[in-house]
Structure formats: C-alpha cells, structure tokens
Amino acid sequence: MEALIPVINKLQDVFNTVGADIIQLPQIAVVGTQSSGKSSVLEALVGRDLLPRGTGVVTRRPLILQLVHVDPEDRRKTSEENDPNAWRNMRLYKGVDGEEWGKFLHTKNKIYTDFDEIRLEIEAETERVSGNNKGITDEPIHLKIFSPHVVNLTLVDLPGITKVPVGDQPKDIEVQIKDLIVKHISNPNSIILAVTAANTDMATSEALKVAREVDPDGRRTLAVVTKLDLMDAGTDAMDVLMGRVIPVKLGLIGVVNRSQLDINNKKSVADAIRDEYAFLQKKYPSLASRNGTKYLARTLNRLLMHHIRDCLPELKTRINVLAAQYQSLLSSYGEPVEDQSSTLLQLITKFAAEYCHTIEGTAKYIETTELCGGARICYIFHETFGRTLESVDPLGGLTTIDVLTAIRNATGPRPALFVPEVSFELLVKRQVKRLEEPSLRCVELVHEEMQRIIQHCSNYSTQELLRFPKLHDAIVEVVTSLLRKRLPVTNEMVHNLVAIELAYINTKHPDFADACGLMNNNIEEQRRNRMRELPSSVPRDKAAGGGFQGDQDVGTGNWRGMLKKGEEGVGGDKSMLQTSNPGSPQRGHAVNLLDVPVPVSRKLSSREQRDCEVIERLIKSYFLIVRKNIQDSVPKAVMHFLVNHVKDSLQSELVGQLYKAGLLDDLLTESEDMAQRRNEAADMLKALQKASQVIAEIRETHLW
C-alpha cells in the first residue's frame, strides 16, 4: 500500500505533461496565516532549506511539492519519463551527484542538486508569472524532490492568509488569497493541513476557520500546532494537543520550528529535529511519541495512503468518463486531410443531404426548442399565411359611399334600371388586389427560413465544416446566392397568381352562381314580406310598383314627380324656397351649377341601399372564392419554384461552384486553432488512457 502515493505522483506527472487540471488528485493542502510556521513545517518534512523567506506574502503561487522516497543504498531514482512502470521499477539517474535532488516541471529535465538554487528558481518563477508587485496567481509551480530522507507525500503550499495589504499589494489581497485557498481545499480528494501557532488563541485560528467552511465535519482536516517552544512562561499546550480546546477528527500534532536566529546561523533541519525531540521529551513526555516532525510525516503518509485508497474507485470512473468525452471530441475534429478531392466532395454531399433532410424532417439532429426547417415552412403556410388571409376583411377599406359612387360612375349620364356589372368588377378587383401583399410576405418568410437552415446545418449537423472556415463560408455563399436567384422568380409567380385572378372575373364560377341564386331568393323573399305588410286597400299592382316608382321619381329624376313637387312647394311656401338654401341661385343672377354644394351625407333611399347591399354581397362572395384559391395556390407555387427547386439543385450547384482543382487547397485550409485543438485533445486522451492503465496495474498488483 506504500506504493499508492507514487501512483498518484505518476498520475500527477501524466496530467502535468498536458498542462491540465481536470482531475482532482489526492494531495495535502497546507493552510495557515503569515508567520504561522508553514514554511518551516514543509522544510522539516523535506529535511532541507528550499523555500523563499522574507516579510509579507512570500508564497504568491501555489507550490505543488511531490516528495519521492528513493533507496539510499544504490542511489536509485524514479524515472517516470523513461519507464511507464517506474513507480514499481526503479532506474538509475545517470550524471546526478548527491543523494538528494529536485526537478521543476517548467524546466523539463534539468536536475537541481543545490537546494539554494531551487529556492532561487522558485523566486524567479514566481516573479515571472506573478510580477514583482506582491500580487498572487493561481498558476502552480510543480517541484519534485527525490531523497532517501523523505516519505512519499504530495503537498500544496498555499499563500499565507493575510488581513492588511502591505506595500504595493492589491487592496483586495485578503479576498484573492482566500479564494485561492478555498479553490484548492474544496477538492474533496485533498487533505487539509491547518497550521496554527501555539502562541495564538486556537479559537481564533484562521486556518481552522477556512477549513471548516469546506470541511464542516472535519473528516479531511489535520491540525498542526507550531512554535510550542515560544509559549508564554507558565503556560503549555497540553489541552490543545489533547484536543480539549478545538477537537479535530484527524488529530492535532505539535512541532517545534527553527527560529529566525537558527536560520540565520544555518542550523540544519536535522539538528532542529533532534532539538525538537529533546524539547518534547522534556516538556511533554507523555505526548512526545505522538508529536514532532517525524511523527507528522508518518501520519501524513498514512492518511494520504488511506485517502488515496478511498478515492481511487471514483478517480478511475472519472478518468474513464473523461477519456470517452475526449475520444468523442477528437472524432469531431476529424483526421488530417489526405485526399482533398474526396474530402471536399464528401463534405459538400453531406451538407446538401443534411439541408434536404432538415426540410423533409428526417435530419439526424432534431431541434426541440423551436420549429425548424420543413416544420417551420409548414407553419408559415398554414398558420401565419393562412390566418393572415383569413383576417383580411372582404369589404375592408370599402364604404357604402364608395359602392354607391362606383354604381353611379358605371351608369354614365343615363339613369340605370339595374345595377351595372362594371361596378361589381371594379370593386371586387380592388379587394382581390389586397391579397397580393400577404402572399409576397409568405414568400419572404419561407426564404428567410431556408436561409436559417444553412446555419442550423452548420451548427448541429455538419460540425466538420468548422474545421474549414473558408469552405464553410463558400458553401454559405453558394446556397445564399441560389436562394437569392430563386426569390424574384417565386415572387413573380405569386404576383402572376393574383394577376390571373384580376384578369378575368368569372361570374359563372359554380360557387359564385350558387351564392347569387341564394341572394336573389333572399331579395324576393324580402319583397314578398313587404307586400304582405301593406294595407288591403292598396292595389297590388300599385303596391308592387309603388316603392320602385317612388324611388324612381326621386332617385332617377322623373319629370312628372319633380314638377308636381315643385308646384306644391311654390304654392305652399315661397319664402321657404327662397331662404331654404342661402347658396341657391337668386332670380336675375347667372347660375353656376358647380357652385351648388353637394350634401356630404344623407339618408340613402331604399333602392340605393338595396343596390349597395347587392354589390357588397357579391363582392364578399367572390372575394372568398378568390381567397380560397390564393390560399391554396401560393404555398404550391412557393414549394415548386423555391423550396423543391433548391432541394433538387443544391448539390449540383455546390459541386459546380466549389469542386474545382484550383480551389482545393484554399477551401480545405483548417482554421488556425483547429490543428492545435486536435493535438491538445489527442494529448489529453493519451494522458487519460495512460492514467487508466496505471490504475489498472494497481489492481493487477493487488495494491488496491
């Protein structure tokens, strides 16, 4: 089970090669305030001075520190890069002097045997990314230490918690650091090492406070109490170390750090550990065996191994899921183009097929959020266009005065005995003409939808086109041009459909003839009803013609009727005749008939009202017939001249315009980032497959 930690180190190296942080591996995150002794604890675990020191925020980037135990007898070193089974099979590193050394991820295979040089490299790499203004960043530094004096551990050194900005630090430095810490300790596969100084109040420990925010049950938190030798005289940390002040499930371990004087005097870590052991034996003899740096290292090693064992099943599942996702992603990027002609023809054919399938409703990717393709065209025909036509009033924009004026204009200078047909044709053409605008709008809506289908096919159906942006743009241009060419042809046909209806008003249409017959029956029935209501003393022949004769006397200017009325008016009231109309001509003056005012509105005579009703009913009846024809013929014309024509000629148009030898290289040029994304996906897939293989080997060796 001891080999489980090198396995995690191996997995960490695998994912470091692709620069990805998609897998949350088990590790130990070190949290504490500034000057709490974090750096001293880490250096004690390593056994060497290697971390930068100073005032203020020194750790400004997460430091992922992997400790790898090597055999001191033959100075064997792990070589993960050269041997996939390096965590089980040790190989010699040639050309390495000394039994301890380090390696940075960003310096590739460079070996550091001087730990002062390691410290300088940490400082230089921190300033390279974070700058020299005391700012922080979440991009980690990866450092691996090989030594016979360490236990296998993976630690993450995080910036110390601070409250007040110092120098030119950002004003929100506290928030930045806390967010960075929470990001790492929120990893459910991590163990939180909360570092608190013994000479502070444990109840106010910032490290334990932030740990409880992400680990309220304390199942992943181990507390370390530093600076046991700096407590006030007369006090001790017995209650704290016994867990009586702040209980921590994984325990509390006390350690003694080197003082600043010890560091200045170059006191070695080994000497410090010996002094620590002597201090614990003297001050806390009953607890000495369960405290100290060596006990801390063994405890961390044990906790991490058990934690790794518990996390491996979920980790294996996560790796397999990601491998499947990246395999699918890599497939969507496609393979590098070898046969350009075949590839171009294949992409053109697939796009044309998907375009037609979207119209027919048989596309592979069915839209579920909105109507698309053929379904939307159907909706335009039968819902949008149909309802628009039905909302057109047959008599809209036509007043009774308009009808009466048309009747009079159609009769010329002679009074008419019957309603002239010319007035009906004139008015019904005016109403039928109103159907042309919604019909042309229907063509426009279908054209817009066919334009939208291009984008739909690009986004959902033929993602391979995203590899070749120039080919995609060329296909869009060809299809758009084809639609643009068919639009005026379709509009002309729809215009002709309305013009055909206007060219000949077929009053012998069966539906119109039936409507006229029914209307005549209604008029005859109304005449009979009026005759029944007349008194019996009125002769039937006069009754039959009385209404018409009276109307004719007034409406058509019967001279006998007008003479009779004139005589009655002169004999009855001459003053009324003279003063009744101030604008009427006076005796002895010239008469200009055009100056006689025309009454703006008046009550229609019964004949005028009857004639208007007849014309309106005829217009409505014939309009409904034409509307029905237009509602049926316009969708057919749009389908034939636009939709079906584009479907039938799309592939041949694309091939004719794009399948040319001189265009192959240009059209099949991949986007700038496509090759990079394909390589990144391939590298990630390779890393995931390698990680899956490592975990599988654990099962084979019964380490799990």
Side-chain angles (χ1 to χ4, degrees), residues 395-438:
L395 301 175
L398 197 63
T399 65
T400 305
I401 296 299
D402 295 336
V403 177
L404 184 59
T405 302
I407 294 174
R408 287 182 172 181
N409 288 337
T411 60
R414 297 175 299 278
L417 296 177
F418 304 100
V419 178
E421 290 188 11
V422 177
S423 62
F424 162 71
E425 289 194 9
L426 178 67
L427 294 172
V428 80
K429 286 182 178 180
R430 171 180 167 182
Q431 298 306 103
V432 169
K433 184 69 175 175
R434 298 168 60 214
L435 297 176
E436 183 175 9
E437 183 180 352

Side-chain angles (χ1 to χ4, degrees), residues 272-495:
I273 291 177
R274 283 194 296 269
D275 292 344
E276 175 192 53
Y277 178 76
F279 174 83
L280 291 174
Q281 288 290 344
K282 178 181 178 181
K283 189 71 175 180
Y284 305 98
S286 61
L287 302 177
S289 61
R290 299 194 302 275
N291 289 277
T293 300
K294 290 187 176 181
Y295 180 77
L296 174 62
R298 292 194 302 269
T299 301
L300 290 175
N301 178 264
R302 175 178 54 83
L303 290 175
L304 186 58
M305 284 191 299
H306 286 284
H307 198 62
I308 292 172
R309 182 190 60 187
D310 296 338
C311 294
L312 274 179
E314 182 180 352
L315 191 62
K316 178 178 181 295
T317 302
R318 173 66 174 162
I319 290 175
N320 291 337
V321 170
L322 285 174
Q325 292 177 353
Y326 273 91
Q327 181 65 61
S328 176
L329 182 63
L330 186 60
S331 299
S332 68
Y333 292 153
E335 297 294 332
V337 178
E338 296 180 357
D339 187 346
Q340 290 185 333
S341 299
S342 175
T343 301
L344 179 61
L345 188 60
Q346 180 182 1
L347 290 174
I348 289 176
T349 303
K350 185 172 183 179
F351 179 88
E354 289 296 337
Y355 190 93
C356 296
H357 290 161
T358 303
I359 294 177
E360 296 167 358
T362 57
K364 181 179 179 181
Y365 297 92
I366 300 297
E367 184 67 56
T368 59
T369 57
E370 62 177 355
L371 292 179
C372 178
R376 192 173 185 87
I377 294 175
C378 179
Y379 182 87
I380 292 171
F381 285 157
H382 302 292
E383 296 294 333
T384 306
F385 178 59
R387 290 181 179 179
T388 301
L389 289 187
E390 291 174 0
S391 67
V392 178
D393 184 6
L395 301 175
L398 197 63
T399 65
T400 305
I401 296 299
D402 295 336
V403 177
L404 184 59
T405 302
I407 294 174
R408 287 182 172 181
N409 288 337
T411 60
R414 297 175 299 278
L417 296 177
F418 304 100
V419 178
E421 290 188 11
V422 177
S423 62
F424 162 71
E425 289 194 9
L426 178 67
L427 294 172
V428 80
K429 286 182 178 180
R430 171 180 167 182
Q431 298 306 103
V432 169
K433 184 69 175 175
R434 298 168 60 214
L435 297 176
E436 183 175 9
E437 183 180 352
S439 300
L440 294 176
R441 177 58 180 161
C442 176
V443 178
E444 184 181 351
L445 290 175
V446 174
H447 176 267
E448 291 176 357
E449 177 55 29
M450 297 191 72
Q451 194 74 34
R452 289 178 67 245
I453 296 176
I454 303 175
Q455 190 64 33
H456 173 82
C457 293
S458 300
N459 291 341
Y460 299 100
S461 304
T462 53
Q463 293 186 2
E464 293 90 342
L465 285 178
L466 300 179
R467 293 177 56 191
F468 312 107
K470 291 186 178 180
L471 175 60
H472 175 267
D473 294 342
I475 289 177
V476 171
E477 179 60 30
V478 171
V479 181
T480 302
S481 177
L482 179 60
L483 291 172
R484 193 184 304 117
K485 287 191 296 185
R486 298 306 301 173
L487 183 59
V489 178
T490 310
N491 282 334
E492 182 66 21
M493 183 60 199
V494 171
H495 173 77

